[in-house]
Amino acid sequence: MSSGSGHRAPFGARLRAALGSRGNLCVGIDPHPALLEAWGLGVDAAGVAEFSRRSLEAFGDLVPAVKPQVAFFEEHGAAGVAALEEVLDGIASAGALSVADAKRGDIGSTMAGYARAWLRDGSPLACDALTVSPYLGVGALDAAFEAAAGAGRGLFVLARTSNPEAGPLQRAEAGGATVAQSVVDEVARRNATIDRGDDPTSPGPFGVVVGATVDDAPRLDELHGPVLMPGVGQQGATIDDARRIAGPAFGHTLVNVSRHVLRAGPDVAAMRDVVLDLTMAARVTARGDGADGAP
Amino acid sequence: MSSGSGHRAPFGARLRAALGSRGNLCVGIDPHPALLEAWGLGVDAAGVAEFSRRSLEAFGDLVPAVKPQVAFFEEHGAAGVAALEEVLDGIASAGALSVADAKRGDIGSTMAGYARAWLRDGSPLACDALTVSPYLGVGALDAAFEAAAGAGRGLFVLARTSNPEAGPLQRAEAGGATVAQSVVDEVARRNATIDRGDDPTSPGPFGVVVGATVDDAPRLDELHGPVLMPGVGQQGATIDDARRIAGPAFGHTLVNVSRHVLRAGPDVAAMRDVVLDLTMAARVTARGDGADGAP
């Protein structure tokens, strides 16, 4: 596969640079109705747009990646999707990477349609990375792998998620490995096909989603790609859990927090303080010299 | 669970009535770029809207269900989603059921957002039934099950799909059954909770997607819900394959065809003829008195 587009550096290199300068926090933009009401905004596309503007003002220039949750835009129809187009532009203007949390997944020419929607230069919904769902097989997502690699964008494939209902399927046995491990292995195989040119140590463009709360996480040591890790904070996991599960991939892991930041809104300064505190805590702990006693 | 909304009959009853009067064909609206070009239309939201209008003119009044493929609208951003809103209205005006093929799937409050987008009265994207993807567990989709049942709408959960990449995951062993069978069983359990009132023989609102080309289809005899079955026609399966795989569920199975109809366009009369032929062939074969020698 090609290592990137003509005009954009590969996603792995861009992610590594963003993590190096801004820490490893990925903050969500989740304008669900209860939060809109708590912020005194309308439960409509205009409310979603204003929620997103304030969120970006609070942390768009602080974090390496911002993750809009597509469902909360889509529920307002075309007007909500128009608000999402604005948010994706706003994330780029703030110097962060956009991770569109859409969990799309289909086959063949239909998957190619989703790839054009989210990963094609010039698409109104183009993002830096997209979350995708592999129920139809990781191979069914190949149009997205190709589109992402060709445009300097990335993917995060759901592997082992933190919700309790996910266990039976993701732990099911598929040819000697769990489904979750098979997904990681198939993604790793695709990273191995990427020509990294003069930057051989950078992560590949293809990542996985693994929850920080699970006690049966797949091995990530041969992924050579990014990890998107929810579960820290409100769901009970710590940064140390994230570091343990990610192993050597921790250096290119985005630790996702959303509600913990957003519930400090609508005050922009208050959200900003929460993000600064979390960024600092993650850095200190990751270096192993935090107050939690890690050696 | 509630058996329906105050003003709309339950999805199972509506589907059964539609199948009884119009046959069992579900035709897709798949405005992908190559088809738009073949029809002499622009590869943009306006082209997608015109493609959809001609498709509905050709078969909206003939078939029980019409299935817009969401990816091909989403790839044109908010303008494409606005075209999809129009299509969903147009399907209702033509007296058919709309099946939004979106394959959405998420957890908790995010899944509730998708449920509001597609299954809530008054949403601009409200459809009669939605396809959903269970990689996060069938239980993660519960917000959609509840929203659908409460509003007289339906769901089709991906179970065993016809694409070759799907086998390893969907055949994986989860607690003594394959993943595909577990999905069917969990959907069946939810149908069993539905109070069908004075119509106890009608199918429940929760269905599954099973491809007509697979040789390891899950058992559907206890589903008591609808089946959406792609794979007949271009992918090589026959109506007899569909009947064999669906078993007792064949009476509420939607046999999906898309490209076979759409490639006869843009001529409306030509598409109409293809749909009429397919509808007749499915009926004759389903009655077992067709020219194919079935007894």
Side-chain angles (χ1 to χ4, degrees):
Chain A
M1 289 189 195
S2 152
S3 63
S5 73
H7 63 287
R8 193 182 296 111
F11 178 71
R14 295 194 293 137
L15 179 67
R16 193 169 59 172
L19 289 164
S21 63
R22 292 186 173 196
N24 63 354
L25 221 58
C26 173
V27 182
I29 297 186
D30 292 15
H32 67 81
L35 271 176
L36 290 170
E37 282 170 11
W39 285 30
L41 298 171
V43 181
D44 52 26
V48 163
E50 179 60 21
F51 183 99
S52 303
R53 275 190 290 271
R54 289 191 206 171
S55 298
L56 280 182
E57 192 187 337
F59 52 76
D61 62 329
L62 294 181
V63 294
V66 175
K67 182 176 79 63
Q69 183 49 267
V70 174
F72 300 124
F73 296 84
E74 191 166 287
E75 73 173 281
H76 303 290
V81 175
L84 178 58
E85 294 178 1
E86 264 183 57
V87 176
L88 292 168
D89 283 346
I91 295 170
S93 300
L97 298 169
S98 56
V99 180
D101 197 356
K103 300 187 177 69
R104 298 303 192 248
D106 212 299
I107 63 172
S109 64
T110 306
M111 193 64 219
Y114 284 122
R116 286 189 298 271
W118 300 97
L119 303 166
R120 177 179 51 91
D121 287 353
S123 168
L125 289 170
C127 57
D128 289 302
L130 176 70
T131 63
V132 291
S133 178
Y135 188 80
L136 297 150
V138 174
L141 307 173
D142 272 342
F145 285 104
E146 281 159 30
R153 305 183 194 277
L155 289 182
F156 289 98
V157 186
L158 297 180
R160 183 72 183 94
T161 58
S162 52
N163 62 306
E165 312 90 348
L169 187 150
Q170 294 172 11
R171 282 195 302 256
E173 282 289 314
T178 63
V179 163
Q181 186 67 55
S182 303
V183 168
V184 172
D185 293 347
E186 287 209 54
V187 174
R189 246 195 308 281
R190 284 167 177 78
N191 275 328
T193 69
I194 296 288
D195 172 15
R196 292 185 179 73
D198 53 3
D199 192 9
T201 65
S202 73
F206 308 136
V208 294
V209 178
V210 174
T213 57
V214 300
D215 56 10
D216 54 4
R219 295 180 314 280
L220 299 170
D221 42 306
E222 291 181 19
L223 174 64
H224 302 299
V227 180
L228 178 62
M229 196 172 283
V232 171
Q234 220 154 349
Q235 290 180 55
T238 64
I239 289 281
D240 273 348
D241 292 325
R243 183 170 43 177
R244 176 177 46 77
I245 287 173
F250 190 74
H252 29 265
T253 290
L254 285 169
V255 174
N256 183 70
V257 291
S258 300
R259 305 296 160 88
H260 185 61
V261 173
L262 299 171
R263 71 185 179 196
D267 188 76
V268 165
M271 284 195 280
R272 201 169 174 82
D273 283 347
V274 173
V275 170
L276 286 168
D277 283 353
L278 285 170
T279 300
M280 191 57 64
R283 283 203 164 155
V284 169
T285 315
R287 286 186 189 129
D289 55 358
D292 61 350
Chain B
M1 288 190 196
S2 153
S3 63
S5 72
H7 62 284
R8 191 182 297 111
F11 179 70
R14 294 195 291 137
L15 178 69
R16 193 168 58 172
L19 289 164
S21 64
R22 293 185 173 195
N24 64 355
L25 221 57
C26 174
V27 183
I29 297 185
D30 293 14
H32 67 81
L35 271 175
L36 290 170
E37 282 170 10
W39 286 29
L41 298 170
V43 181
D44 53 26
V48 163
E50 179 61 20
F51 183 100
S52 303
R53 276 190 290 271
R54 289 191 206 170
S55 298
L56 280 181
E57 192 188 337
F59 52 76
D61 62 329
L62 294 182
V63 294
V66 175
K67 182 174 78 63
Q69 183 50 266
V70 175
F72 300 125
F73 296 84
E74 192 165 287
E75 72 174 279
H76 304 289
V81 175
L84 179 58
E85 294 179 0
E86 265 183 57
V87 176
L88 292 168
D89 283 347
I91 295 170
S93 301
L97 298 169
S98 56
V99 179
D101 198 354
K103 300 189 176 67
R104 298 302 192 248
D106 212 298
I107 62 172
S109 63
T110 306
M111 193 64 219
Y114 284 123
R116 286 189 299 271
W118 299 98
L119 303 165
R120 176 179 52 90
D121 288 353
S123 167
L125 289 171
C127 57
D128 289 302
L130 175 71
T131 62
V132 291
S133 178
Y135 187 81
L136 298 150
V138 174
L141 307 172
D142 272 342
F145 285 103
E146 282 158 30
R153 306 183 194 277
L155 289 182
F156 289 98
V157 186
L158 296 181
R160 183 70 182 96
T161 58
S162 52
N163 61 308
E165 311 90 348
L169 187 150
Q170 294 173 12
R171 282 196 300 256
E173 282 288 314
T178 63
V179 162
Q181 187 66 55
S182 303
V183 168
V184 172
D185 294 348
E186 286 210 55
V187 174
R189 248 196 307 281
R190 285 167 176 79
N191 275 327
T193 69
I194 297 288
D195 173 15
R196 290 185 181 73
D198 53 3
D199 192 9
T201 64
S202 74
F206 309 135
V208 293
V209 179
V210 175
T213 55
V214 299
D215 56 10
D216 56 2
R219 294 181 314 282
L220 298 171
D221 42 306
E222 292 180 18
L223 174 64
H224 301 301
V227 180
L228 178 62
M229 195 171 285
V232 171
Q234 220 153 350
Q235 288 179 57
T238 65
I239 290 284
D240 274 347
D241 292 326
R243 182 171 44 179
R244 176 177 47 77
I245 288 173
F250 190 74
H252 29 266
T253 291
L254 285 169
V255 174
N256 184 71
V257 290
S258 299
R259 306 295 160 89
H260 186 61
V261 173
L262 299 171
R263 71 185 178 194
D267 187 77
V268 165
M271 284 194 281
R272 202 169 172 83
D273 283 346
V274 173
V275 170
L276 285 168
D277 283 353
L278 286 170
T279 301
M280 190 57 65
R283 282 203 163 155
V284 169
T285 315
R287 286 185 189 130
D289 55 0
D292 62 349

